[in-house]
Amino acid sequence: MTDGRPKVDAATPFDVDDWLTARGVRWRPDAACWSTLAVSPPQPVNDCSCSGTLVLPDAELLVCWRGREQKAALVPFVAHTVLYVAEGSALRPVLDVPSSAALEDCAPQNPAICRVAIVPRVEEGVLRFSDSAAAAAGSSCDDALNAVDAAHRGAAPESRAAWQSARDVYRRVCSGRGRYTWQGRALRRAP
């Protein structure tokens, strides 16, 4: 890993089971990973997956993703990035950050409003959540927040509450941007 992104090699994809086995850890998804699929009969579904690792000077972090359904009409689903460390024979969560959200019905004439996402990277030994690579295409947090604010201001009175909920969700995701340092046994937000 040279660019600070999660380790993923196209020739050898990341295998979370191999990673866990090498560290003597068994995967036990958080209770928050499970949701119920609305079928008959209802089925529990694991909404968590892991995609790689990030290595800090004093810790190796397993990078996982967890979906969380929202009550908001425009943004029904928010993804969280959850970082774990292997500790003994268990995984311990050290950070849970809302990291992406998308509008259910998106206006193609304004792509900045469609989705907001931040991603973790290691830069100079520090974890940083920043706008995703898609931000270069005009969908940074700032662009998305401005677009949602404009939609909220221009919305009909009956749809303002939905746009307010979308704004709140986008702000929660974007507030995760920043630096995090490993201190002791935990990640702490750096000023």
Side-chain angles (χ1 to χ4, degrees), residues 87-109:
E87 194 170 82
S89 63
L91 287 177
R92 182 172 59 86
V94 293
L95 189 65
D96 182 335
V97 175
S99 53
S100 73
L103 297 181
E104 185 170 49
D105 294 317
C106 190
Q109 67 272 18

PDB file of all heavy atoms in Angstrom, residues 87-109:
ATOM      1  N   GLU A  87      -8.252  -7.708  18.282  1.00  0.00           N
ATOM      2  CA  GLU A  87      -7.783  -7.638  19.663  1.00  0.00           C
ATOM      3  C   GLU A  87      -8.079  -8.970  20.321  1.00  0.00           C
ATOM      4  O   GLU A  87      -9.243  -9.321  20.526  1.00  0.00           O
ATOM      5  CB  GLU A  87      -8.501  -6.504  20.375  1.00  0.00           C
ATOM      6  CG  GLU A  87      -7.885  -6.104  21.688  1.00  0.00           C
ATOM      7  CD  GLU A  87      -8.513  -4.820  22.199  1.00  0.00           C
ATOM      8  OE1 GLU A  87      -9.600  -4.904  22.804  1.00  0.00           O
ATOM      9  OE2 GLU A  87      -7.926  -3.752  21.969  1.00  0.00           O
ATOM     10  N   GLY A  88      -7.032  -9.723  20.601  1.00  0.00           N
ATOM     11  CA  GLY A  88      -7.238 -11.076  21.103  1.00  0.00           C
ATOM     12  C   GLY A  88      -7.897 -11.887  20.010  1.00  0.00           C
ATOM     13  O   GLY A  88      -7.446 -11.895  18.866  1.00  0.00           O
ATOM     14  N   SER A  89      -9.000 -12.542  20.329  1.00  0.00           N
ATOM     15  CA  SER A  89      -9.693 -13.344  19.316  1.00  0.00           C
ATOM     16  C   SER A  89     -10.951 -12.642  18.797  1.00  0.00           C
ATOM     17  O   SER A  89     -11.789 -13.265  18.174  1.00  0.00           O
ATOM     18  CB  SER A  89     -10.073 -14.700  19.898  1.00  0.00           C
ATOM     19  OG  SER A  89     -10.974 -14.519  20.976  1.00  0.00           O
ATOM     20  N   ALA A  90     -11.053 -11.336  19.062  1.00  0.00           N
ATOM     21  CA  ALA A  90     -12.255 -10.602  18.661  1.00  0.00           C
ATOM     22  C   ALA A  90     -11.900  -9.352  17.855  1.00  0.00           C
ATOM     23  O   ALA A  90     -10.759  -8.887  17.878  1.00  0.00           O
ATOM     24  CB  ALA A  90     -13.050 -10.196  19.896  1.00  0.00           C
ATOM     25  N   LEU A  91     -12.889  -8.844  17.161  1.00  0.00           N
ATOM     26  CA  LEU A  91     -12.761  -7.554  16.493  1.00  0.00           C
ATOM     27  C   LEU A  91     -13.344  -6.497  17.415  1.00  0.00           C
ATOM     28  O   LEU A  91     -14.393  -6.701  18.011  1.00  0.00           O
ATOM     29  CB  LEU A  91     -13.547  -7.532  15.185  1.00  0.00           C
ATOM     30  CG  LEU A  91     -12.974  -8.321  14.032  1.00  0.00           C
ATOM     31  CD1 LEU A  91     -13.926  -8.249  12.840  1.00  0.00           C
ATOM     32  CD2 LEU A  91     -11.608  -7.804  13.634  1.00  0.00           C
ATOM     33  N   ARG A  92     -12.662  -5.368  17.494  1.00  0.00           N
ATOM     34  CA  ARG A  92     -13.168  -4.264  18.301  1.00  0.00           C
ATOM     35  C   ARG A  92     -13.374  -3.066  17.394  1.00  0.00           C
ATOM     36  O   ARG A  92     -12.444  -2.621  16.723  1.00  0.00           O
ATOM     37  CB  ARG A  92     -12.182  -3.925  19.413  1.00  0.00           C
ATOM     38  CG  ARG A  92     -12.675  -2.815  20.336  1.00  0.00           C
ATOM     39  CD  ARG A  92     -11.761  -2.643  21.545  1.00  0.00           C
ATOM     40  NE  ARG A  92     -10.399  -2.316  21.197  1.00  0.00           N
ATOM     41  CZ  ARG A  92      -9.943  -1.083  20.978  1.00  0.00           C
ATOM     42  NH1 ARG A  92     -10.744  -0.051  21.039  1.00  0.00           N
ATOM     43  NH2 ARG A  92      -8.666  -0.889  20.681  1.00  0.00           N
ATOM     44  N   PRO A  93     -14.598  -2.526  17.335  1.00  0.00           N
ATOM     45  CA  PRO A  93     -14.816  -1.343  16.506  1.00  0.00           C
ATOM     46  C   PRO A  93     -14.119  -0.139  17.126  1.00  0.00           C
ATOM     47  O   PRO A  93     -14.206   0.068  18.338  1.00  0.00           O
ATOM     48  CB  PRO A  93     -16.334  -1.168  16.500  1.00  0.00           C
ATOM     49  CG  PRO A  93     -16.825  -1.906  17.692  1.00  0.00           C
ATOM     50  CD  PRO A  93     -15.816  -2.965  18.002  1.00  0.00           C
ATOM     51  N   VAL A  94     -13.407   0.641  16.301  1.00  0.00           N
ATOM     52  CA  VAL A  94     -12.717   1.824  16.800  1.00  0.00           C
ATOM     53  C   VAL A  94     -13.251   3.107  16.169  1.00  0.00           C
ATOM     54  O   VAL A  94     -12.951   4.194  16.655  1.00  0.00           O
ATOM     55  CB  VAL A  94     -11.185   1.720  16.617  1.00  0.00           C
ATOM     56  CG1 VAL A  94     -10.620   0.634  17.508  1.00  0.00           C
ATOM     57  CG2 VAL A  94     -10.802   1.491  15.175  1.00  0.00           C
ATOM     58  N   LEU A  95     -14.038   2.992  15.106  1.00  0.00           N
ATOM     59  CA  LEU A  95     -14.638   4.184  14.502  1.00  0.00           C
ATOM     60  C   LEU A  95     -15.805   3.764  13.617  1.00  0.00           C
ATOM     61  O   LEU A  95     -15.719   2.783  12.889  1.00  0.00           O
ATOM     62  CB  LEU A  95     -13.600   4.940  13.653  1.00  0.00           C
ATOM     63  CG  LEU A  95     -14.010   6.314  13.137  1.00  0.00           C
ATOM     64  CD1 LEU A  95     -14.218   7.299  14.283  1.00  0.00           C
ATOM     65  CD2 LEU A  95     -12.940   6.857  12.189  1.00  0.00           C
ATOM     66  N   ASP A  96     -16.893   4.515  13.705  1.00  0.00           N
ATOM     67  CA  ASP A  96     -18.081   4.290  12.885  1.00  0.00           C
ATOM     68  C   ASP A  96     -18.486   5.655  12.345  1.00  0.00           C
ATOM     69  O   ASP A  96     -18.907   6.529  13.104  1.00  0.00           O
ATOM     70  CB  ASP A  96     -19.194   3.687  13.751  1.00  0.00           C
ATOM     71  CG  ASP A  96     -20.462   3.371  12.982  1.00  0.00           C
ATOM     72  OD1 ASP A  96     -20.717   3.994  11.934  1.00  0.00           O
ATOM     73  OD2 ASP A  96     -21.218   2.504  13.446  1.00  0.00           O
ATOM     74  N   VAL A  97     -18.322   5.850  11.032  1.00  0.00           N
ATOM     75  CA  VAL A  97     -18.554   7.151  10.403  1.00  0.00           C
ATOM     76  C   VAL A  97     -19.580   6.997   9.282  1.00  0.00           C
ATOM     77  O   VAL A  97     -19.377   6.181   8.373  1.00  0.00           O
ATOM     78  CB  VAL A  97     -17.238   7.710   9.814  1.00  0.00           C
ATOM     79  CG1 VAL A  97     -17.475   8.998   9.045  1.00  0.00           C
ATOM     80  CG2 VAL A  97     -16.212   7.924  10.899  1.00  0.00           C
ATOM     81  N   PRO A  98     -20.678   7.771   9.291  1.00  0.00           N
ATOM     82  CA  PRO A  98     -21.555   7.784   8.120  1.00  0.00           C
ATOM     83  C   PRO A  98     -20.729   8.276   6.937  1.00  0.00           C
ATOM     84  O   PRO A  98     -20.112   9.332   7.019  1.00  0.00           O
ATOM     85  CB  PRO A  98     -22.656   8.786   8.478  1.00  0.00           C
ATOM     86  CG  PRO A  98     -22.525   9.048   9.936  1.00  0.00           C
ATOM     87  CD  PRO A  98     -21.127   8.699  10.314  1.00  0.00           C
ATOM     88  N   SER A  99     -20.656   7.485   5.876  1.00  0.00           N
ATOM     89  CA  SER A  99     -19.707   7.823   4.812  1.00  0.00           C
ATOM     90  C   SER A  99     -20.320   7.989   3.428  1.00  0.00           C
ATOM     91  O   SER A  99     -19.636   8.466   2.522  1.00  0.00           O
ATOM     92  CB  SER A  99     -18.586   6.790   4.757  1.00  0.00           C
ATOM     93  OG  SER A  99     -19.106   5.488   4.665  1.00  0.00           O
ATOM     94  N   SER A 100     -21.568   7.637   3.232  1.00  0.00           N
ATOM     95  CA  SER A 100     -22.200   7.944   1.944  1.00  0.00           C
ATOM     96  C   SER A 100     -23.717   7.899   2.073  1.00  0.00           C
ATOM     97  O   SER A 100     -24.262   7.201   2.915  1.00  0.00           O
ATOM     98  CB  SER A 100     -21.730   7.000   0.831  1.00  0.00           C
ATOM     99  OG  SER A 100     -22.271   5.728   0.987  1.00  0.00           O
ATOM    100  N   ALA A 101     -24.349   8.688   1.213  1.00  0.00           N
ATOM    101  CA  ALA A 101     -25.803   8.727   1.135  1.00  0.00           C
ATOM    102  C   ALA A 101     -26.161   9.129  -0.284  1.00  0.00           C
ATOM    103  O   ALA A 101     -25.396   9.823  -0.953  1.00  0.00           O
ATOM    104  CB  ALA A 101     -26.377   9.740   2.133  1.00  0.00           C
ATOM    105  N   ALA A 102     -27.298   8.670  -0.732  1.00  0.00           N
ATOM    106  CA  ALA A 102     -27.743   9.002  -2.086  1.00  0.00           C
ATOM    107  C   ALA A 102     -29.245   9.220  -2.075  1.00  0.00           C
ATOM    108  O   ALA A 102     -29.968   8.613  -1.285  1.00  0.00           O
ATOM    109  CB  ALA A 102     -27.381   7.880  -3.055  1.00  0.00           C
ATOM    110  N   LEU A 103     -29.684  10.095  -2.959  1.00  0.00           N
ATOM    111  CA  LEU A 103     -31.108  10.342  -3.095  1.00  0.00           C
ATOM    112  C   LEU A 103     -31.745   9.178  -3.835  1.00  0.00           C
ATOM    113  O   LEU A 103     -31.165   8.637  -4.776  1.00  0.00           O
ATOM    114  CB  LEU A 103     -31.371  11.631  -3.866  1.00  0.00           C
ATOM    115  CG  LEU A 103     -30.872  12.913  -3.219  1.00  0.00           C
ATOM    116  CD1 LEU A 103     -31.237  14.103  -4.081  1.00  0.00           C
ATOM    117  CD2 LEU A 103     -31.420  13.086  -1.826  1.00  0.00           C
ATOM    118  N   GLU A 104     -32.938   8.815  -3.418  1.00  0.00           N
ATOM    119  CA  GLU A 104     -33.634   7.707  -4.078  1.00  0.00           C
ATOM    120  C   GLU A 104     -34.012   8.081  -5.507  1.00  0.00           C
ATOM    121  O   GLU A 104     -33.756   7.349  -6.441  1.00  0.00           O
ATOM    122  CB  GLU A 104     -34.876   7.329  -3.285  1.00  0.00           C
ATOM    123  CG  GLU A 104     -35.568   6.115  -3.832  1.00  0.00           C
ATOM    124  CD  GLU A 104     -36.652   5.631  -2.896  1.00  0.00           C
ATOM    125  OE1 GLU A 104     -37.474   6.448  -2.453  1.00  0.00           O
ATOM    126  OE2 GLU A 104     -36.653   4.427  -2.616  1.00  0.00           O
ATOM    127  N   ASP A 105     -34.624   9.233  -5.688  1.00  0.00           N
ATOM    128  CA  ASP A 105     -34.970   9.730  -7.019  1.00  0.00           C
ATOM    129  C   ASP A 105     -34.086  10.930  -7.280  1.00  0.00           C
ATOM    130  O   ASP A 105     -34.204  11.946  -6.598  1.00  0.00           O
ATOM    131  CB  ASP A 105     -36.453  10.144  -7.093  1.00  0.00           C
ATOM    132  CG  ASP A 105     -37.363   8.953  -6.924  1.00  0.00           C
ATOM    133  OD1 ASP A 105     -37.063   7.907  -7.519  1.00  0.00           O
ATOM    134  OD2 ASP A 105     -38.369   9.069  -6.191  1.00  0.00           O
ATOM    135  N   CYS A 106     -33.207  10.811  -8.257  1.00  0.00           N
ATOM    136  CA  CYS A 106     -32.231  11.862  -8.476  1.00  0.00           C
ATOM    137  C   CYS A 106     -32.447  12.534  -9.827  1.00  0.00           C
ATOM    138  O   CYS A 106     -32.684  11.861 -10.827  1.00  0.00           O
ATOM    139  CB  CYS A 106     -30.833  11.279  -8.402  1.00  0.00           C
ATOM    140  SG  CYS A 106     -29.603  12.560  -8.379  1.00  0.00           S
ATOM    141  N   ALA A 107     -32.330  13.847  -9.828  1.00  0.00           N
ATOM    142  CA  ALA A 107     -32.495  14.622 -11.059  1.00  0.00           C
ATOM    143  C   ALA A 107     -31.191  14.587 -11.851  1.00  0.00           C
ATOM    144  O   ALA A 107     -30.187  15.123 -11.396  1.00  0.00           O
ATOM    145  CB  ALA A 107     -32.865  16.059 -10.721  1.00  0.00           C
ATOM    146  N   PRO A 108     -31.172  13.954 -13.008  1.00  0.00           N
ATOM    147  CA  PRO A 108     -29.926  13.841 -13.771  1.00  0.00           C
ATOM    148  C   PRO A 108     -29.382  15.192 -14.234  1.00  0.00           C
ATOM    149  O   PRO A 108     -28.206  15.310 -14.534  1.00  0.00           O
ATOM    150  CB  PRO A 108     -30.292  12.959 -14.964  1.00  0.00           C
ATOM    151  CG  PRO A 108     -31.774  12.899 -14.993  1.00  0.00           C
ATOM    152  CD  PRO A 108     -32.288  13.280 -13.653  1.00  0.00           C
ATOM    153  N   GLN A 109     -30.223  16.235 -14.262  1.00  0.00           N
ATOM    154  CA  GLN A 109     -29.731  17.537 -14.685  1.00  0.00           C
ATOM    155  C   GLN A 109     -28.839  18.182 -13.621  1.00  0.00           C
ATOM    156  O   GLN A 109     -28.148  19.144 -13.893  1.00  0.00           O
ATOM    157  CB  GLN A 109     -30.876  18.480 -15.083  1.00  0.00           C
ATOM    158  CG  GLN A 109     -31.777  18.912 -13.943  1.00  0.00           C
ATOM    159  CD  GLN A 109     -32.925  17.948 -13.691  1.00  0.00           C
ATOM    160  OE1 GLN A 109     -32.905  16.794 -14.110  1.00  0.00           O
ATOM    161  NE2 GLN A 109     -33.934  18.418 -12.967  1.00  0.00           N
TER     162      GLN A 109
END
